Amino acid sequence: MITLDIRDRRRRTQTRRSAAHSSAGPAGVIGTQVLLLDGVTAWRTVKAGRAALLIDMEAYFDAAMDAMSRARHCVHLLNWAFEANTLFHPQPGGGGKNSDRIGNFLIALAKNPEIDVRVLCWKSAMPVAATQHFFPFMDRKVFAGTKVRFVLDGKLPVGACHHQKMIVIDDAIAFCGGGDIGPDRWDTPEHLDDNPRREKTRRDNKWFDSRHEVMGLVDGPAALALGDLFRDRWRRATGETLEVCPPIRNPKWPGKIPPAFADIDAGISRTGAAWRAFPQIRENEALHVASIRAAKACIYMESQYFTSPLIADELAKRLKEPDGPEVVIVSTEHSPSYFDQVTMDRTRLTFIQTLKSADRHGRFHAYSPVTTLGRTIIVHAKLTIIDDILLRIGSANINNRSMGFDTECDLSLEADGPGSAANRAEITRLRNKLLAHWLGCVEPPMEEAIRRTGSVGAALESLRTNGYCRLRPIEVKPLNPIAAFIAAYHLGDPVGPRDSWRPWKRKKAVAAEAALVRKEIVRPATNTGVQVSKPKVRRSETV
């Protein structure tokens, strides 16, 4: 196992901070900030020689199959849900070649004795497994008697889930983000109505819903670090220690999406609940708070859930400032599952109302996307873009459980230091590309509208009034007494193990966590970066 001495990590972080402080320029909005700090807002920060953002699952599935087909030593998959019958390239009518199904593909790959193929998935609770066609049991059957090592991981607090999603190939190429492996995940950036390639073979609804996902793709030390994270999870689940893959020089870049970033800092941030001998990890939460406090012009967020009162409070504080950043969020009109509609959707209304009430200067915009015919697009992506400095892709939602209860992993790309102008420009371009894809237009009108109005939110409203109306404002509706109770106690959305089955303790748990964050992360008056103290190891929640 590759490990980094803590003194080396601190030395590297200080070097990055010094470089950033000496490189402030007009091209960068933040310029002097360094947000990825090892041991605080990130587990590990390394360089990615090449990196890209894959928008929607057509690009991800294509690139993942390409990368895995070139593997020489190892293919390791970490997932929340994994359905072995998933097609990489579904055809009209929902069919395809058996060799194109990921389970068959991995079995064939593992027949090569030189390639170690492993799949580690959450051992999901029965009600969740039922919504995903009982994948834990079906996968065991598919991989039984093959060379693929398939393991279900249930080593975590009761009620929590392992939610990390990644694929690592030869410790040289890696994918990380929010996309699971399932037939209902595939879609294109066009989010076409009634796309025949999303057609189901079952008889319930004719088509899978349109769905939006994003995945990060990196190589070099960043891929190796994600490989180390997989090995940590595998050792925790099985007790088996895996060796690092032999090095591969200049691995071929997979898929059809070219690298967008060169030589950029890549940080891996985690969430993990305290459990037995394992301490609590809240790096994702710390990075969210630090980046919100550091933002100068625009905070753009996509997430399936927006329920965290801590994040709502941090965003509200920035909206109250006369010269603070604008905040633009995109989320699903309503969740696909009934349980989430009853719990998360109700609490999201409280989140949005908090921001609307704080929006004294007209800088808050919340939208839900629809197809051309007005059908809901499921936003399953978990993405944050801070100005032109930070692009964050991962598995963590903006809710309590993703900040401290479930097992999460986010990959962030930070453009700081000398020579970062091209990377900063690419972060801005990708934000505009995502916004244009929501509206159903190409990038130039989006970019021109931002230049003309001087604001992302104003540009969106300008284009919406001119016929690009696939983004609809999320309206805050009054909650009935039952919904208000659900929202007040965040039912289904625990802060940690101690309140997971004691919702009457949740308000106190939320307040206690907010108090700890206020002590650990300080936004100074001067532009010298967000100050973050080393958080104390929290074992008090161990159960």
Side-chain angles (χ1 to χ4, degrees):
M1 177 68 63
I2 296 292
T3 57
L4 297 179
D5 185 270
I6 189 64
R7 289 171 294 182
D8 292 337
R9 295 191 189 186
R10 288 173 178 167
R11 190 180 304 117
R12 187 180 63 233
T13 296
Q14 184 59 46
T15 300
R16 291 179 59 239
R17 184 185 290 114
S18 300
H21 286 176
S22 64
S23 65
V29 176
I30 295 180
T32 61
Q33 307 286 358
V34 173
L35 297 173
L36 296 173
L37 304 177
D38 286 3
V40 184
T41 59
W43 170 60
R44 193 175 300 179
T45 306
V46 293
K47 285 291 183 181
R50 297 172 293 179
L53 176 69
L54 305 182
I55 300 175
D56 294 307
M57 296 295 272
E58 179 186 42
Y60 172 44
F61 281 176
D62 182 67
M65 186 180 194
D66 185 20
M68 290 189 287
S69 67
R70 301 175 189 276
R72 293 169 56 185
H73 303 295
C74 67
V75 173
H76 293 159
L77 295 90
L78 196 60
N79 277 94
W80 176 79
F82 179 94
E83 294 187 56
N85 68 332
T86 302
L87 290 161
F88 287 106
H89 307 95
Q91 299 304 305
K97 297 179 180 179
N98 282 333
S99 60
D100 195 57
R101 299 187 187 278
I102 190 168
N104 295 334
F105 173 84
L106 293 176
I107 290 169
L109 200 64
K111 290 180 180 178
N112 183 339
E114 300 297 320
I115 302 177
D116 178 56
V117 181
R118 298 171 189 260
V119 181
L120 183 62
C121 284
W122 172 45
K123 187 178 181 180
S124 67
M126 188 62 69
V128 178
T131 68
Q132 302 293 320
H133 309 116
F134 298 98
F135 74 87
F137 310 102
M138 300 301 294
D139 291 343
R140 277 179 169 171
K141 183 178 179 180
V142 168
F143 293 124
T146 74
K147 297 293 185 180
V148 176
R149 290 287 309 278
F150 176 79
V151 171
L152 294 173
D153 184 358
K155 294 190 175 181
L156 74 175
V158 176
C161 74
H162 288 308
H163 200 234
Q164 297 169 336
K165 301 108 183 277
M166 68 178 72
I167 302 177
V168 184
I169 299 97
D170 293 335
D171 286 344
I173 293 286
F175 303 84
C176 180
D180 296 295
I181 307 296
D184 60 336
R185 309 291 162 150
W186 188 93
D187 201 0
T188 68
E190 291 74 26
H191 303 298
L192 301 175
D193 286 285
D194 304 335
N195 187 332
R197 296 182 66 187
R198 292 203 317 272
E199 191 170 349
K200 297 181 181 181
T201 55
R202 298 183 302 280
R203 285 188 175 182
D204 37 8
N205 296 319
K206 190 172 183 181
W207 285 277
F208 290 116
D209 292 329
S210 295
R211 181 181 289 261
H212 174 63
E213 306 271 10
V214 293
M215 294 293 292
L217 171 56
V218 292
D219 70 356
L224 174 60
L226 288 168
D228 283 346
L229 182 56
F230 177 89
R231 283 181 281 276
D232 284 344
R233 280 282 312 277
W234 187 270
R235 184 177 63 248
R236 171 172 166 163
T238 68
E240 179 184 8
T241 299
L242 303 179
E243 296 296 326
V244 176
C245 289
I248 292 180
R249 293 184 179 180
N250 303 317
K252 182 175 175 59
W253 190 256
K256 301 173 184 176
I257 306 299
F261 300 95
D263 194 32
I264 190 168
D265 288 319
I268 300 169
S269 303
R270 306 162 300 165
T271 300
W275 184 73
R276 297 186 179 177
F278 297 96
Q280 189 181 56
I281 300 169
R282 301 188 82 103
E283 295 154 0
N284 277 317
E285 179 184 72
L287 180 58
H288 270 304
V289 173
S291 58
I292 290 169
R293 294 181 182 183
K296 294 290 191 295
C298 180
I299 299 169
Y300 173 67
M301 309 176 91
E302 298 177 355
S303 185
Q304 183 179 12
Y305 308 126
F306 283 95
T307 65
S308 166
L310 172 64
I311 302 303
D313 183 58
E314 292 293 330
L315 292 170
K317 290 175 182 176
R318 301 308 315 275
L319 287 170
K320 291 177 182 178
E321 297 174 13
D323 298 315
E326 58 183 324
V327 177
V328 179
I329 68 173
V330 176
S331 187
T332 310
E333 180 182 11
H334 58 78
S335 298
S337 77
Y338 177 74
F339 177 80
D340 286 347
Q341 289 176 25
V342 171
T343 55
M344 298 297 184
D345 288 5
R346 301 296 189 271
T347 312
R348 184 183 67 178
L349 294 176
T350 302
F351 183 102
I352 292 175
Q353 182 58 57
T354 298
L355 301 190
K356 283 183 175 290
S357 298
D359 187 27
R360 301 170 180 173
H361 309 283
R363 298 196 309 265
F364 175 59
H365 302 271
Y367 299 102
S368 62
V370 295
T371 65
T372 301
L373 295 180
R375 297 170 180 167
T376 297
I377 299 175
I378 298 171
V379 180
H380 195 259
K382 302 92 169 61
L383 173 140
T384 298
I385 297 177
I386 303 294
D387 297 330
D388 62 353
I389 197 79
L390 189 78
L391 168 62
R392 176 175 182 165
I393 318 114
S395 67
N397 288 294
I398 309 299
N399 60 352
N400 292 329
R401 58 186 311 133
S402 282
M403 300 298 158
F405 191 45
D406 293 338
T407 306
E408 308 280 8
C409 175
D410 281 16
L411 170 69
S412 296
L413 304 176
E414 184 176 15
D416 72 277
S420 63
N423 287 332
R424 292 199 298 268
E426 181 61 20
I427 290 176
T428 300
R429 189 192 73 81
L430 286 170
R431 182 201 65 197
N432 296 342
K433 180 181 179 70
L434 285 162
L435 294 171
H437 123 278
W438 285 130
L439 293 172
C441 66
V442 291
E443 293 168 54
M446 187 74 244
E447 294 167 347
E448 192 280 329
I450 293 175
R451 283 193 297 268
R452 175 169 46 83
T453 63
S455 161
V456 171
L460 289 171
E461 287 303 301
S462 173
L463 290 171
R464 279 183 3 93
T465 58
N466 282 279
Y468 296 104
C469 50
R470 280 180 35 180
L471 280 179
R472 295 177 176 176
I474 298 176
E475 300 295 334
V476 177
K477 301 176 181 178
L479 297 176
N480 61 43
I482 294 176
F485 177 84
I486 291 170
Y489 286 91
H490 293 265
L491 298 187
D493 192 19
V495 175
R498 294 190 69 179
D499 69 296
S500 61
W501 296 98
R502 305 173 184 90
W504 57 90
K505 293 188 175 183
R506 195 147 301 148
K507 287 184 177 181
K508 186 176 181 180
V510 167
E513 183 58 31
L516 282 170
V517 168
R518 281 194 292 270
K519 290 180 180 179
E520 292 170 358
I521 302 176
V522 179
R523 180 169 177 251
T526 59
N527 189 31
T528 56
V530 173
Q531 299 174 353
V532 190
S533 63
K534 183 77 173 180
K536 297 179 180 179
V537 176
R538 306 183 201 171
R539 297 181 183 274
S540 60
E541 288 205 355
T542 304
V543 294

